[in-house]
Amino acid sequence: MLLGKVIGTVVASQKDAKLEGRKFQVVQTLDMRGQPGSSYVVAIDAVGAGIGEVVMYASGSSARQTQATNNTPCDAVIMAIVDSWHLAGETVYNKAEEG
Amino acid sequence: MLLGKVIGTVVASQKDAKLEGRKFQVVQTLDMRGQPGSSYVVAIDAVGAGIGEVVMYASGSSARQTQATNNTPCDAVIMAIVDSWHLAGETVYNKAEEG
Amino acid sequence: MLLGKVIGTVVASQKDAKLEGRKFQVVQTLDMRGQPGSSYVVAIDAVGAGIGEVVMYASGSSARQTQATNNTPCDAVIMAIVDSWHLAGETVYNKAEEG
Amino acid sequence: MLLGKVIGTVVASQKDAKLEGRKFQVVQTLDMRGQPGSSYVVAIDAVGAGIGEVVMYASGSSARQTQATNNTPCDAVIMAIVDSWHLAGETVYNKAEEG
Amino acid sequence: MLLGKVIGTVVASQKDAKLEGRKFQVVQTLDMRGQPGSSYVVAIDAVGAGIGEVVMYASGSSARQTQATNNTPCDAVIMAIVDSWHLAGETVYNKAEEG
C-alpha cells in the first residue's frame, strides 16, 4: 500500500455498468515523510474517506478485494483512513492534531 | 485508475483470436492538473470513447473485468468517460465547457 | 498494452517445463511517436511476429491469456502485430509503407 | 521480492473489515548494496518483523498468499525476515553482526 | 520477462511457511545490450541457476506459475537460464563463450 491524501473527485456518468454508484477520488501520493509528490491515482473509496483525509490505497488485483470493488474494472482502492504514522519513534502524522 | 486523453488508434488485423473486433485506442496519460505527459498506453475501449475525449483507464488484471476484455490478453481498458474532475474545490476539467 | 519492435531473440534450453517450445523475443518499447527508448521486455510470441515487426504486447497476468502462455510463468506476450497507428489524424506508422 | 528495512508503523482504525487486526508497517526499500532509497511501501506483516529489521516483501497479488493477507485488499506483505545476504562472495548484511 | 544476472543469495530462516526450502537469489537486471543497471530483484529459483549465470525472470502473479512457487507469496521467479541472445543479427551474449 502507499500513503496518500484525498485531494479531489472525478465525475464520470458514462462508465462500465459494474461501476455504477462508485465514488472516484483523486489521491495524491505522499512520501514516507508525508510530503506530496507529483504522482496520483484515481481510486474507488471503500471506507468513506473525505477530501483532505490521509489514506492508504492498494493497487492492482488487490484493489478488487473490497465489497465496493469486487469484480469491477478497478485497479486502485482506498482501503483505510490513516489515524497516524510513526517513523523511528517520531510521529510523522496524527489526524487528531490536524486543524 | 489514471486519467488520460484518447489521442489515436491502433489497427492490428493479426492478433490473438479473443481480441477479434476490439477497438485499440492510444491514451496519453494526464497528470492530476490535466497536463499531458510523455507516457501512454494502448487500451481496449469498453465504453465507446472517441478521439479527444478524457477518460479513465484501469491496468493489469482489472483491465479484464469488462465484457469487452473478459479472458483476453488485455492489460489496459478504458472503463469510464470523464465528465469533470475537481481538485481542492477547483474544477480542473469539465467536458461540457470544452469546445 | 504498449507498442514495441521485435529486435531479437533469446535462446534458453534450460527452462520451466511448461515453457517448452515457446519463442522468446526481445521487444524494444516504442513511445507514442514510434521512437525506440531504452526499455525492453522479453515476450512470448503468440501471433507469429518476426524480427523487425511492430507489435503490441500485454504484461502481467493478462500475458497468460493466450494459448501459447496459458498457465505458464510468463509475464509478457506479443498479442498483436500492428498494421498501422494514427495520432490526431496523422499516420505515425504504416506497415504497408515500410521497406 | 525486494529487500527493505522496517522503519515505522501506520495506525488506521477505520479500514476494510477484512483488515481488522492486521499490522501495517512502513518498509523502506534497500538497494542491493543495502543502501536505503527514497521509496517505501506500507506492508502487512506476516512474519512478526519488528522495527529496524531487514526483511523481504512481496507485492501485487502474491502479497495475498499468506494467512494474514488472504482475500484482503493488501498489495504488499512482509514474507521473510532476512538473516543475511551475500553478493559475489561478500556478505552485505548479517543480522547476527548488527548492534 | 527481463534478463538478469544472478549475483547473490539471501538467507532467511524466519519466513512464511509455504516458502520453506526455497532458494532466494539476488538478480541484477540487465539492459538489452547486457549491461547491468542499478535495479535488482530477489527471485525464487525454479530452474537451478547458479551464481554468475544469465537468466530470465518473470514478475507478478506469473511468478507463481512454477512448482517451486505455486501458491506462495512470491512475486519473482527465475524461469529460464539463458544460453544466448541476439539483437539485429548480432550475438549479445553466448554462455558457451563465457570464461
Side-chain angles (χ1 to χ4, degrees):
Chain A
M1 285 69 70
L2 288 175
L3 297 157
K5 188 173 192 166
V6 181
I7 59 166
T9 54
V10 176
V11 179
S13 49
Q14 199 170 333
K15 54 183 177 286
D16 184 85
K18 292 190 283 186
L19 295 170
E20 213 49 59
R22 299 314 185 279
K23 197 170 155 194
F24 296 100
Q25 290 183 309
V26 183
V27 180
Q28 185 173 25
T29 303
L30 301 176
D31 70 15
M32 60 189 155
R33 306 291 324 166
Q35 297 305 305
S38 62
S39 74
Y40 78 99
V41 73
V42 180
I44 289 183
D45 180 15
V47 290
I51 298 284
E53 282 196 293
V54 172
V55 298
M56 278 194 289
Y57 66 92
S59 301
S61 63
S62 298
R64 299 198 306 273
Q65 297 279 335
T66 73
Q67 285 202 7
T69 56
N70 192 24
N71 293 326
T72 68
C74 162
D75 64 7
V77 71
I78 299 174
M79 28 56 82
I81 298 175
V82 172
D83 295 324
S84 62
W85 90 78
H86 313 271
L87 294 189
E90 182 196 343
T91 299
V92 177
Y93 168 80
N94 188 336
K95 189 181 174 179
E97 291 172 3
E98 300 288 302
Chain B
M1 285 68 71
L2 288 175
L3 297 156
K5 188 172 192 166
V6 181
I7 59 166
T9 53
V10 176
V11 180
S13 49
Q14 198 170 335
K15 54 182 177 286
D16 184 86
K18 293 190 282 185
L19 295 171
E20 213 49 60
R22 299 314 185 280
K23 196 170 156 194
F24 296 100
Q25 289 183 310
V26 182
V27 180
Q28 185 174 25
T29 304
L30 301 176
D31 70 15
M32 60 190 156
R33 306 290 325 165
Q35 298 306 304
S38 62
S39 75
Y40 78 99
V41 73
V42 180
I44 289 182
D45 180 16
V47 289
I51 297 285
E53 282 196 293
V54 172
V55 298
M56 280 194 288
Y57 65 91
S59 301
S61 63
S62 298
R64 299 198 306 273
Q65 297 280 335
T66 73
Q67 285 201 7
T69 56
N70 192 23
N71 293 326
T72 67
C74 162
D75 64 7
V77 72
I78 298 174
M79 28 56 82
I81 298 174
V82 172
D83 295 324
S84 61
W85 90 79
H86 313 272
L87 295 188
E90 181 196 343
T91 298
V92 177
Y93 169 81
N94 189 337
K95 188 180 174 179
E97 291 171 4
E98 301 288 302
Chain C
M1 285 69 70
L2 289 175
L3 297 157
K5 188 172 193 168
V6 181
I7 60 165
T9 54
V10 176
V11 180
S13 50
Q14 199 171 335
K15 54 183 176 286
D16 184 84
K18 292 190 283 186
L19 295 170
E20 214 49 59
R22 299 313 185 280
K23 196 170 156 193
F24 297 100
Q25 289 183 309
V26 182
V27 180
Q28 185 174 26
T29 304
L30 301 176
D31 70 15
M32 60 189 155
R33 305 290 326 164
Q35 299 305 305
S38 62
S39 76
Y40 78 99
V41 73
V42 181
I44 288 182
D45 180 16
V47 289
I51 297 284
E53 283 196 292
V54 172
V55 298
M56 279 194 288
Y57 65 91
S59 301
S61 63
S62 298
R64 300 197 305 273
Q65 298 280 335
T66 74
Q67 286 202 7
T69 56
N70 191 22
N71 294 325
T72 67
C74 163
D75 64 7
V77 72
I78 298 173
M79 28 56 82
I81 298 174
V82 173
D83 296 324
S84 61
W85 90 79
H86 313 272
L87 295 188
E90 181 197 343
T91 298
V92 177
Y93 169 81
N94 189 336
K95 188 180 174 179
E97 292 171 3
E98 300 288 303
Chain D
M1 285 69 71
L2 289 175
L3 297 157
K5 188 172 192 168
V6 181
I7 60 165
T9 54
V10 176
V11 179
S13 49
Q14 199 170 334
K15 54 183 176 285
D16 184 85
K18 292 190 284 186
L19 295 170
E20 214 49 59
R22 298 314 185 279
K23 197 170 156 194
F24 297 101
Q25 290 184 308
V26 183
V27 180
Q28 185 173 26
T29 304
L30 301 177
D31 70 15
M32 61 190 154
R33 306 291 324 166
Q35 298 305 305
S38 62
S39 75
Y40 77 99
V41 73
V42 181
I44 289 183
D45 179 16
V47 289
I51 298 284
E53 282 196 292
V54 172
V55 297
M56 279 195 287
Y57 66 92
S59 301
S61 64
S62 299
R64 299 197 307 273
Q65 297 280 336
T66 73
Q67 286 203 4
T69 56
N70 191 24
N71 293 327
T72 67
C74 162
D75 64 7
V77 71
I78 298 173
M79 27 57 81
I81 298 175
V82 173
D83 295 325
S84 61
W85 91 77
H86 313 270
L87 295 188
E90 182 197 344
T91 299
V92 177
Y93 168 80
N94 189 335
K95 188 180 174 180
E97 291 171 4
E98 299 288 302
Chain E
M1 286 68 70
L2 289 174
L3 297 157
K5 187 171 193 169
V6 181
I7 59 166
T9 54
V10 176
V11 179
S13 49
Q14 200 170 332
K15 54 184 176 286
D16 184 85
K18 292 189 284 186
L19 295 170
E20 213 50 58
R22 299 314 185 277
K23 196 170 157 193
F24 297 101
Q25 289 183 308
V26 183
V27 180
Q28 184 173 26
T29 304
L30 300 176
D31 70 15
M32 60 190 155
R33 306 289 327 163
Q35 298 304 304
S38 63
S39 75
Y40 78 98
V41 73
V42 180
I44 288 182
D45 179 16
V47 288
I51 298 284
E53 282 195 292
V54 172
V55 298
M56 279 195 287
Y57 66 91
S59 300
S61 63
S62 299
R64 300 197 306 273
Q65 298 280 336
T66 72
Q67 286 204 5
T69 56
N70 191 23
N71 294 325
T72 67
C74 163
D75 64 7
V77 71
I78 298 173
M79 28 56 82
I81 298 174
V82 173
D83 295 325
S84 61
W85 91 78
H86 313 271
L87 296 188
E90 181 197 343
T91 298
V92 178
Y93 168 81
N94 190 336
K95 188 180 174 179
E97 292 171 4
E98 299 288 303

